[in-house]
Amino acid sequence: MRTRLLLLTDRAQLSKGRSLSRTIAECVDAGLDAVVVREHDLAARDRRALVARLAELDRLTVISSRIADPAAHGLHLAAHQERVDGWHGRSCHSADDVRRAAAAGVAWATLSPYAASASKPGHGPPLPPDAFTGDPGIPVFALGGIDPGNARAAVEAGAHGVAVMGAVMRAADPVRVVARLLQELA
């Protein structure tokens, strides 16, 4: 995976009246090229329609979280989910988890929590400073508490890139946050 920024969705964190589809489309215009669609609480039909709408956006890789979807380009598995065939990644919570995931054939991993997260208060403690050292042979994205102020530090610590949810989803101007993240990762 070449991208340095994965955006994870959570429409519940968006400002009132803001559409998730429109927000993602605007972020793509700002340079976003990969999104992980969570929205696990949506009815199956509505979630499939959302994934299909997003998959129609040019230059956007759409990854479905936990639930295989034929319109998605890939699947991101939770730490506890069984291995699947096809292009997929996995959520990990330690460097050992990342090594096991890489050995099992995943294409990428998220490693969390990088920092304290407003989206998951109390989730942690944050990973030790050396969690991203070594080369597992796959891109590893720092997840948890990521914002424009610490994205570059995560990459300097050894992460391939960052995975972000709350800093973008809760922002008054999500597009501006995505643009700042991309600038920090350039």
Side-chain angles (χ1 to χ4, degrees), residues 50-71:
L50 172 63
V51 170
R53 258 192 323 277
L54 295 177
E56 292 175 356
L57 295 172
D58 288 337
R59 303 178 317 273
L60 182 65
T61 299
V62 178
I63 301 165
S64 181
S65 169
R66 299 184 187 178
I67 303 165
D69 189 296

Side-chain angles (χ1 to χ4, degrees), residues 33-95:
D33 61 3
V35 65
V36 176
V37 179
R38 293 171 38 93
E39 313 313 319
H40 303 126
D41 63 322
L42 277 177
R45 184 179 73 182
D46 295 336
R47 190 175 186 283
R48 282 192 305 270
L50 172 63
V51 170
R53 258 192 323 277
L54 295 177
E56 292 175 356
L57 295 172
D58 288 337
R59 303 178 317 273
L60 182 65
T61 299
V62 178
I63 301 165
S64 181
S65 169
R66 299 184 187 178
I67 303 165
D69 189 296
H73 302 107
L75 178 64
H76 190 77
L77 300 172
H80 65 276
Q81 282 184 282
E82 294 294 319
R83 185 187 186 295
V84 297
D85 292 328
W87 192 65
H88 67 284
R90 178 173 299 283
S91 293
C92 296
H93 302 291
S94 72

Side-chain angles (χ1 to χ4, degrees), residues 3-23:
T3 190
R4 294 292 189 133
L5 175 62
L6 288 176
L7 176 59
L8 284 69
T9 69
D10 183 355
R11 72 190 190 291
Q13 293 189 52
L14 289 171
S15 299
K16 185 175 177 152
R18 184 171 261 291
S19 154
L20 180 58
S21 295
R22 187 189 75 208
T23 298

